[in-house]
Amino acid sequence: EYKCRIPTGPGRIVVYSNIPEASFTATGPKSFNGKGMCVQELNAPPGEYTFVFNEVAGYTSPTKMLSSGLKMTLVPEALLKFGASYRADTSADTGVIIVVTNLPESKFTITGPAAYSGSGTCWGQANVPAGQYKIMFGDVPGYELSFFDKEKSIYVSSGFGMQTAEAEYKKIGEES
């Protein structure tokens, strides 16, 4: 006999942008506000959400491109993730790096034409010089990373928008 569990619980919503001044309002089963380059809402109830992005001087907001806001549906126990890009009124000569994990205790280092370090579930850096970057994720006691999540490589090109790197930590002994 095969039993199948139907997911019913909350999920995660990750919203990232290409500028630190970005802010938005999300309305839906749970309303919340976000500000910055990377926001993660944990334990978000499933359902339809509408995201409205605020104006930032010197940029065209994503909401101007989507007059009524962006509508997206979070299914139970899933990850809803998207990037909202503000278009600069002048040309950009740098890029953006976004790092997303599932553990607040996670730490990482980024090396390449410039060096950065960060921690947490959602992190962003604007004005990143173009080039190849390596992201190394640190160990967290009681958790492990797959071989593919320990180190990520991304290429940032100027004016191209956002590059994201993700790592999913699993409890040691937990099945996927």
Side-chain angles (χ1 to χ4, degrees):
E1 179 179 323
Y2 183 76
K3 293 184 180 183
C4 182
R5 184 181 79 79
I6 298 174
T8 59
R12 294 172 23 212
I13 297 174
V14 176
V15 180
Y16 51 90
S17 74
N18 59 327
I19 60 171
E21 302 86 0
S23 64
F24 66 90
T25 299
T27 55
K30 178 181 182 182
S31 295
F32 62 97
N33 297 315
K35 182 169 175 39
M37 294 184 67
C38 195
V39 174
Q40 185 163 188
E41 184 68 26
L42 303 171
N43 297 312
E48 185 176 85
Y49 288 84
T50 301
F51 299 88
V52 177
F53 293 85
N54 299 316
E55 297 292 321
V56 174
Y59 294 89
T60 300
S61 77
T63 300
K64 278 209 171 162
M65 297 173 237
L66 303 161
S67 60
S68 61
L70 176 63
K71 293 183 186 309
M72 299 185 83
T73 301
L74 174 65
V75 297
E77 298 179 26
L79 169 63
L80 173 63
K81 175 186 72 166
F82 68 95
S85 193
Y86 283 75
R87 194 173 55 230
D89 295 342
T90 60
S91 64
D93 60 355
T94 58
V96 173
I97 294 177
I98 301 291
V99 178
V100 176
T101 75
N102 63 323
L103 280 183
E105 305 89 345
S106 67
K107 294 181 180 169
F108 48 87
T109 58
I110 301 170
T111 56
Y116 307 97
S117 63
S119 63
T121 59
C122 219
W123 179 93
Q125 178 66 48
N127 302 314
V128 174
Q132 189 74 34
Y133 288 85
K134 185 190 307 184
I135 300 158
M136 301 288 294
F137 292 90
D139 292 333
V140 175
Y143 291 85
E144 61 188 354
L145 288 166
S146 75
F147 172 79
F148 297 104
D149 278 345
K150 290 181 182 181
E151 179 181 310
K152 302 283 182 158
S153 182
I154 59 173
Y155 187 83
V156 173
S157 60
S158 61
F160 188 65
M162 300 170 277
Q163 296 298 318
T164 62
E166 299 177 44
E168 188 81 15
Y169 288 84
K170 301 249 188 250
K171 276 193 171 180
I172 292 174
E174 183 179 88
E175 291 187 30
S176 335

